[in-house]
């Protein structure tokens, strides 16, 4: 059986959510961040040489990296659901948003986060200050990303187009929980807020957040 | 026909290389970085709202993001080549390395790069110094990545396993040209050096580098 190792307040919420959307059997193991440093505990870091989240196991296979895990689960257990096929007009859009999440948007937000100087001793130690020009460069890049998402969601209900897909599952963390780290607000993004309300109404998303991060109120507004 | 917009010394070298490996017809447009700032020229930034490289066009479609472009070209023009199928034992390895490249390794190297304070006025302006603890955190993460790649290439000739694949195409930039920006050396990585020598012997790689970055000596050692 599939085991999902979920680190609280992390990208692995995507994997819990994916399993709930697909309604497949899985075993969930939840790990909490150190309350002082906000870092993953040693037991979580020991799961994979890169010490990153998410991580899954499936038999002898241990697999990390959001994009890889989502594609693996879709291929093995998805039966074609939540993907867009190459002959569908939405195929290129699906690919773009799927890869944009961790290839461009998340790295920009990570630097914005470190400039934001959120609470937590270790983060503050490495924080570079919100007034640093380096942070400004990446905050501007995140701004471009949010503007593009806002524009897209003014035209279509989901990122790949008419239908909810795994592109929404990988992108959502960058629009919700990641904001707990960056402090970014959505006042000027009505289309994104409407999208988040639609996602928040999904029973599978609600189940995933209740199981994975029961103490967190999902950042849907 | 496919148009590949290649920004010199950038991730778009992957797309030129992919087209050469697949031996498909494409039109190549090469743009050079500003010699002072090392930034992309305004004409390149205008190609896509995110102002990122690579970008391709295919009819009316304009598509950015390395992972998305590679998957798009493989699906439309690859006829199954350079991919690993879900029923192949190497499938999960293929997915991991494919997504690891831009999801984890490149973001770490980007911060290492900004700490390295390479030449170029704009980079220096935003540079955060190699002695900053923030840079140290990400340099250690890149170290873990290189150690993992070194170990992998001690067991198999290519990242997905026995066969050369698109996982190698997306990963290679992080091991070669990216080092022009970070200053990282490969003295302690004999398996990676052997791998780079194998890649350097591929006629398609040689053609791609000659066409896309004729003034660059490929960083294969």
């Amino acid at each position: 059986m599939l085991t999902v190792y979920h680190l609280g307040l992390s990208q692995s919420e995507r994997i819990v959510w994916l399993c709930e959307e697909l309604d497949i059997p899985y075993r969930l193991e939840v790990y909490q961040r150190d309350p002082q440093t906000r870092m993953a505990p040693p037991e979580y870091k020991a799961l994979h040489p890169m010490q990153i989240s998410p991580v899954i196991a499936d038999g002898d296979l241990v697999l990390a990296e959001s994009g890889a895990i989502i594609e693996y689960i879709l291929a093995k257990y998805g039966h074609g659901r939540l993907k867009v096929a190459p002959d569908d007009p939405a195929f290129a859009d699906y690919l773009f948003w799927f890869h944009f999440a961790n290839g461009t948007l998340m790295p920009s937000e990570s630097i914005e986060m470190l400039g934001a100087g959120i609470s937590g001793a270790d983060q503050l130690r490495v924080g570079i200050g919100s007034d640093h020009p380096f942070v400004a460069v990446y905050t501007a890049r995140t701004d471009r990303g949010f503007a593009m998402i806002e524009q897209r969601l003014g035209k279509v209900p989901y990122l790949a187009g008419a239908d909810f897909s795994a592109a929404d599952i990988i992108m959502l963390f960058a629009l919700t929980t990641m904001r707990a780290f960056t402090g970014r607000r959505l006042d000027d993004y009505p289309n994104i807020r409407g999208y988040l309300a639609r996602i928040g109404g999904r029973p599978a998303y609600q189940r995933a957040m209740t199981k994975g991060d029961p103490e967190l109120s999902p950042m849907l507004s």
Side-chain angles (χ1 to χ4, degrees), chain A:
Chain A
M1 186 188 294
L2 203 61
T3 300
V4 178
Y5 301 101
H6 173 52
L7 173 65
L9 273 172
S10 89
Q11 300 180 50
S12 53
E13 67 174 48
R14 295 161 167 161
I15 313 305
V16 186
W17 181 22
L18 176 65
C19 292
E20 292 292 335
E21 290 283 353
L22 293 173
D23 198 19
I24 56 177
Y26 70 104
R27 193 167 65 89
L28 179 63
E29 284 199 19
V30 179
Y31 296 71
Q32 299 301 338
R33 291 177 181 273
D34 182 302
Q36 292 300 314
T37 65
R38 297 182 78 132
M39 296 290 116
E43 310 85 74
Y44 198 90
K45 290 183 179 174
L47 294 171
H48 191 275
M50 281 307 294
Q51 308 180 10
I52 53 178
S53 166
V55 179
I56 63 164
D58 192 15
D60 291 337
L61 171 70
V62 174
L63 186 61
E65 196 69 48
S66 289
I69 292 172
I70 294 173
E71 283 209 53
Y72 175 85
I73 292 176
L74 287 177
K76 293 284 180 182
Y77 304 107
H79 303 291
R81 289 174 292 165
L82 302 184
K83 290 182 72 167
V84 175
D87 58 355
D88 189 305
F91 180 59
D93 286 317
Y94 172 75
L95 290 179
F96 175 75
W97 294 104
F98 192 96
H99 286 275
F100 176 68
N102 276 33
T104 295
L105 186 57
M106 288 287 299
S108 291
E109 286 186 297
S110 297
I111 293 169
E112 193 181 0
M113 171 185 101
L114 286 154
I118 54 155
S119 61
D122 201 61
Q123 294 289 4
L124 281 176
R125 185 175 64 75
V126 300
I128 49 181
S130 58
D131 58 345
H132 194 286
F134 175 47
V135 173
V137 166
Y138 280 88
T139 301
R141 201 167 84 143
T142 312
D143 286 344
R144 288 198 293 277
F146 272 71
M148 196 176 58
I149 298 161
E150 176 70 8
Q151 190 175 47
R152 175 76 180 156
L153 293 172
K155 296 178 189 162
V156 286
Y158 297 103
L159 289 165
D163 298 321
F164 177 81
S165 76
D168 299 297
I169 292 180
I170 194 164
M171 278 287 295
L172 195 79
F173 178 83
L175 304 176
T176 56
T177 310
M178 190 69 191
R179 287 189 295 122
F181 296 97
T182 66
R184 180 175 282 267
R185 295 180 57 85
L186 295 180
D187 304 66
D188 298 332
Y189 302 99
N191 298 332
I192 296 179
R193 294 205 312 275
Y195 170 75
L196 296 183
R198 283 193 292 287
I199 298 289
R202 298 182 74 85
Y205 179 76
Q206 294 166 0
R207 288 197 302 275
M209 296 306 287
T210 303
K211 290 181 184 178
D213 292 85
E215 293 170 12
L216 175 72
S217 184
M219 293 193 64
L220 296 170
S221 58

